[in-house]
């Protein structure tokens, strides 16, 4: 007698019955870029199908995503000016603050998240304040906390710190609570690697560091135990959800964090992951849609509960057809 695993693969119905992982539009968080101006929808060259929006067109995009069943967006801002401390990041009339209130006004039930970081707002492009040529941890915390509170004041449901400063989740939690925003959640970019996969994002958000790189604050791609340490710390500091980023080359990390941590886990399928698929698809070297769905499914199989992905709308559309 031979054991026949193929028996379970005989028909589509049977395969669907024994499928272990499912993908749905409800799993997606859709990243969007917003800048000052009106009626703008400027294509991002290295991310075909993604745009820099002005607030008005961004709201339309959020409505479209919501209508496709996508429950959440995460917003990234391109400020009108940059300075050494990223002061436009915590201005109440800042671009993200405007976008948050506009989206919340129009799509009341959508979960609106904001990226909390300084790199898009500083003239040097680093995620924290520079002191003596170094990214200074503790003086950055106060600015991040101010930014988070101003996002909450604008109506953000969740703030998502991506800076990788130590202690920022605790600092942000305390500042939110003191300001009366006990119900504003924190999605911590707990496990964020210093990755080449962020290349296209730095064009999209105009946030490339002007000197050096981010290795003194983002994680070494060689490390896995450290990922667990970062996840545990953010959980203890009060994060409501945590994230692993990037996703595709870090499926083992997603799995390990999922097994060790009790919080909902998000994975960020980043700009470079998107760009690689789009570029190969344009060359007709791969079946883009098929690979997109496979990547997203596999990120879930690895253990992610939620996926931040630029594919959100495209994948949601396909899912609703099938
Ligand atoms: C930093 C931030 C980055 C991304 C999200 N937040 C870039 C970086 O750390 O250099 C990358 C997202 C992507 O590549 O899609 N604020």
């Amino acid at each position: 007698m031979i054991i026949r695993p193929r028996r379970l693969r005989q028909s589509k119905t049977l395969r669907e019955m024994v499928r272990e992982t499912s993908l749905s539009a409800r799993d997606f968080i859709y990243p969007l870029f917003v800048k000052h101006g009106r009626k703008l929808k400027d294509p991002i060259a290295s991310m075909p199908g993604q745009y820099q929006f002005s607030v008005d067109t961004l709201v339309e995009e959020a409505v479209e995503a919501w209508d496709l069943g996508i429950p959440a967006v995460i917003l990234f801002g391109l400020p009108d000016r940059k300075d050494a401390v990223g002061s436009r990041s915590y201005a109440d009339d800042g671009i993200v603050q405007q976008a948050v209130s506009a989206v919340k006004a129009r799509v009341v039930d959508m979960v609106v998240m904001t990226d909390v970081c300084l790199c898009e707002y500083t003239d040097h492009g680093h995620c924290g304040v520079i002191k003596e040529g170094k990214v200074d941890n503790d003086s950055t915390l106060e600015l991040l906390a101010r930014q988070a509170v101003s996002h909450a004041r604008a109506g953000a449901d969740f703030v998502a710190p991506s800076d990788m400063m130590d202690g920022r989740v605790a600092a942000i939690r305390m500042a939110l609570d003191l300001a009366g925003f006990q119900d504003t959640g924190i999605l911590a970019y707990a496990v964020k690697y210093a990755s080449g996969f962020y290349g296209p994002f730095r064009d999209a958000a105009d946030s490339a560091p002007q000197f050096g790189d981010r290795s003194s604050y983002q994680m070494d791609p060689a490390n896995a135990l450290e990922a667990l340490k970062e996840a545990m710390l953010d959980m203890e500091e009060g994060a409501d959800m945590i994230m692993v980023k990037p996703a595709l080359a870090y499926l083992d990390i997603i799995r390990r964090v999922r097994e060790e941590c009790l919080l909902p886990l998000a994975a960020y399928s980043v700009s470079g992951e998107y760009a690689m698929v789009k570029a190969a698809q344009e060359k007709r070297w791969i079946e883009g849609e098929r690979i997109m769905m496979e990547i997203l499914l596999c990120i879930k199989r690895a253990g992610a509960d939620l996926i931040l992905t630029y594919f959100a709308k495209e994948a949601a559309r396909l899912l609703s057809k099938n």
Side-chain angles (χ1 to χ4, degrees):
M1 188 200 68
I2 32 179
I3 307 286
R4 297 186 186 276
R6 288 187 53 196
R7 219 175 267 135
L8 293 174
R9 300 178 200 140
Q10 288 180 87
S11 73
K12 186 162 179 283
T13 311
L14 207 42
R15 287 192 296 272
E16 282 172 1
M17 286 171 69
V18 299
R19 187 161 293 150
E20 298 172 37
T21 309
S22 66
L23 191 64
S24 135
R26 289 280 153 208
D27 304 329
F28 302 148
I29 299 171
Y30 184 31
L32 292 170
F33 301 96
V34 61
K35 65 175 171 188
H36 292 273
R38 290 190 49 151
K39 298 208 163 72
L40 301 178
K41 191 175 172 183
D42 299 342
I44 300 165
S46 52
M47 300 172 70
Q50 302 303 309
Y51 304 87
Q52 295 175 342
F53 296 96
S54 48
V55 172
D56 49 352
T57 54
L58 179 105
V59 170
E60 296 312 314
E61 187 72 3
V63 170
E64 238 182 77
W66 177 255
D67 289 343
L68 284 164
I70 297 161
V73 289
I74 180 164
L75 306 182
F76 296 89
L78 292 107
D80 41 3
R81 60 195 148 78
K82 301 178 188 242
D83 58 29
V85 294
S87 56
R88 294 302 289 163
S89 71
Y90 48 84
D92 282 339
D93 63 347
I95 188 63
V96 165
Q97 289 81 353
Q98 291 181 37
V100 167
S101 44
V103 173
K104 286 304 286 185
R106 179 73 182 280
V107 219
V108 186
D109 292 325
M110 189 168 224
V111 170
V112 176
M113 303 183 163
T114 58
D115 185 79
V116 170
C117 194
L118 293 186
C119 66
E120 296 119 84
Y121 304 90
T122 50
D123 46 19
H124 47 74
H126 276 289
C127 303
V129 178
I130 306 294
K131 270 193 186 164
E132 289 159 15
K134 287 187 183 162
V135 176
D136 187 67
N137 195 88
D138 296 7
S139 53
T140 301
L141 297 181
E142 188 208 339
L143 300 177
L144 294 168
R146 277 171 79 170
Q147 186 183 152
V149 169
S150 85
H151 291 172
R153 200 177 292 125
D157 299 292
F158 271 79
V159 293
S162 67
D163 51 282
M164 288 300 274
M165 297 301 119
D166 294 333
R168 90 271 209 216
V169 172
I172 288 172
R173 183 70 270 159
M174 187 147 40
L176 287 172
D177 289 354
L178 278 174
F181 297 109
Q182 291 86 352
D183 293 335
T184 306
I186 300 177
L187 163 59
Y189 286 68
V191 182
K192 179 175 179 182
Y193 287 93
S195 171
F197 284 97
Y198 308 149
F201 175 93
R202 291 178 186 174
D203 296 336
D206 183 26
S207 66
Q210 298 303 303
F211 65 90
D213 58 29
R214 305 209 200 285
S215 310
S216 78
Y217 42 107
Q218 299 179 349
M219 282 177 51
D220 181 343
N223 294 356
L225 285 174
E226 195 185 359
L228 300 180
K229 176 167 83 179
E230 286 282 7
M232 292 308 146
L233 284 172
D234 283 6
M235 188 167 85
E236 283 165 17
E237 287 180 34
D240 300 282
M241 308 187 199
I242 56 170
M243 188 199 296
V244 170
K245 173 185 178 188
L248 188 52
Y250 296 81
L251 296 178
D252 59 322
I253 305 296
I254 294 173
R255 165 56 46 192
R256 290 181 73 164
V257 173
R258 173 65 298 158
E259 280 167 4
E260 299 291 333
C261 184
L262 303 176
L263 301 176
L265 176 62
Y268 198 147
S269 180
V270 299
S271 55
E273 301 175 34
Y274 178 83
M276 289 193 304
V277 175
K278 288 292 173 187
Q281 181 180 17
E282 273 177 17
K283 285 190 170 289
R284 298 180 196 284
W285 287 350
I286 58 166
E287 288 175 60
E289 285 190 346
R290 181 172 175 187
I291 285 187
M292 162 180 79
M293 297 312 270
E294 187 173 332
I295 289 173
L296 294 170
L297 181 73
C298 293
I299 292 171
K300 274 208 78 187
R301 192 206 57 228
D305 304 299
L306 296 163
I307 308 171
L308 292 89
T309 174
Y310 303 99
F311 287 123
K313 273 175 55 187
E314 217 181 320
R317 240 180 240 121
L318 268 184
L319 287 165
S320 70
K321 266 193 234 157
N322 302 333

